[in-house]
Amino acid sequence: MTSLNTRPLEIFDDLGALSEAAARLVTVKGREAIEERGQFVLALAGGSTPRRLYGLLATDAWRQTIQWERWQFFISDERVVPMTDAASNFGMAQHELFSHVSVSTKQQHPAPTQLGAADAVAKGYEEEIRSFFSIPDDSIPRFDLILLGMGSDGHTASLFPGKPALNETSRLIVPSPPGILPPPVDRITFSFPLINAARTVLFLVAGEDKAVPLKGVQAGDRNVVASRVQPTDGELFWFVDEKAAANG
Ligand code: 6PG
């Protein structure tokens, strides 16, 4: 499958260099969005890779370049656990970023995991997103930027190989039972229609355990779930480190 908007991988020496480049891209896209639409609506990624980026944005060097009051933060997938749980993706972002910069709770849009079952959390988050963008039920909102990672099994967000969530065509947010990778908890995830409507999607991928799925992405292998991220009218960036880009 050849993609119209797949860029070549941008390969960095290590996670530090990758995170610096990601901070540059995210802040540039933030300034553009604010100039054009008055705000920057982004979805953060979970997992461990983006942790370094969030910490970087909180440093003086980056924090002072950002109009924080214009940024709105969502999460591209979440484990159905309390925000205080170590497995919480939004909880990680709070620890690494929001506890260090002035972002009001009104600008923070975590998934409503307090609603209990994954179905209810997914429905609640979808309602919140639709209301935030004030769009009718049959249209799909465009995030300015969606950050994503990729698992060693090729999943992205909580879209796991072989699971029904991969085939969602209308809902924005879907429940997702545990995949093969830890933690073994229920999740909710952005669906492909929502991800592929974004203006910009930025993958952050580091580590040798990602080399094999990354080769699959480059070959356009749709069995590698992350390769199905193909923004319909947006930009797609793959920021990877040397280890992930090594011959998988
Ligand atoms: C999650 C993440 C997940 C993550 C990949 C990569 O909730 O688990 O959103 O999709 O991005 O599993 O995780 P690492 O960055 O920890 O390798």
Side-chain angles (χ1 to χ4, degrees), residues 44-51 75-79 87 89 147-153 155-160 181-183 187-188 204-206 209-210:
L44 300 176
S48 58
T49 305
R51 188 186 286 266
I75 191 83
S76 52
D77 76 313
E78 187 57 278
R79 293 80 179 269
N89 285 333
L147 282 172
L148 292 173
M150 182 177 68
S152 54
D153 62 350
H155 84 263
T156 189
S158 283
L159 295 162
F160 296 110
L181 297 175
R187 298 140 175 267
I188 59 98
L204 306 179
V205 178
D209 63 330
K210 313 294 174 75

Side-chain angles (χ1 to χ4, degrees), residues 22-212:
R24 259 192 306 279
L25 180 65
V26 170
T27 50
V28 163
K29 293 300 179 186
R31 276 195 291 277
E32 287 174 2
I34 291 166
E35 275 161 28
E36 290 166 22
R37 289 175 297 279
Q39 64 178 2
F40 179 45
V41 187
L42 78 157
L44 300 176
S48 58
T49 305
R51 188 186 286 266
R52 180 78 73 85
L53 166 62
Y54 304 158
L56 209 47
L57 292 175
T59 60
D60 286 347
W62 287 100
R63 180 175 48 203
Q64 291 158 4
T65 71
I66 293 169
Q67 278 182 280
W68 292 106
E69 72 283 2
R70 299 295 187 93
W71 286 33
Q72 296 288 339
F73 298 87
F74 292 79
I75 191 83
S76 52
D77 76 313
E78 187 57 278
R79 293 80 179 269
V80 183
V81 295
M83 190 111 70
T84 51
D85 188 304
S88 168
N89 285 333
F90 207 87
M92 181 271 280
Q94 260 187 340
H95 181 264
E96 297 296 332
L97 180 56
F98 303 135
S99 52
H100 304 283
V101 298
S102 55
V103 169
S104 72
T105 48
K106 285 197 177 61
Q107 294 169 258
Q108 299 178 41
H109 307 275
T113 54
Q114 68 281 3
L115 295 178
D119 273 327
V121 175
K123 284 196 180 77
Y125 208 29
E126 174 143 353
E127 283 163 14
E128 176 175 355
I129 290 171
R130 288 194 177 283
S131 142
F132 174 84
F133 281 95
S134 60
I135 52 160
D137 279 359
D138 59 353
S139 62
I140 298 182
R142 297 194 74 195
F143 276 77
D144 292 310
L145 188 141
I146 298 178
L147 282 172
L148 292 173
M150 182 177 68
S152 54
D153 62 350
H155 84 263
T156 189
S158 283
L159 295 162
F160 296 110
K163 301 287 185 181
L166 299 185
N167 305 315
E168 180 59 40
T169 55
S170 55
R171 288 177 295 174
L172 306 180
I173 308 290
V174 288
S176 172
I180 55 171
L181 297 175
V185 294
D186 277 341
R187 298 140 175 267
I188 59 98
T189 183
F190 277 23
S191 63
F192 279 122
L194 181 55
I195 291 170
N196 285 328
R199 290 187 175 85
T200 299
V201 176
L202 169 58
F203 273 95
L204 306 179
V205 178
E208 57 197 4
D209 63 330
K210 313 294 174 75
V212 168

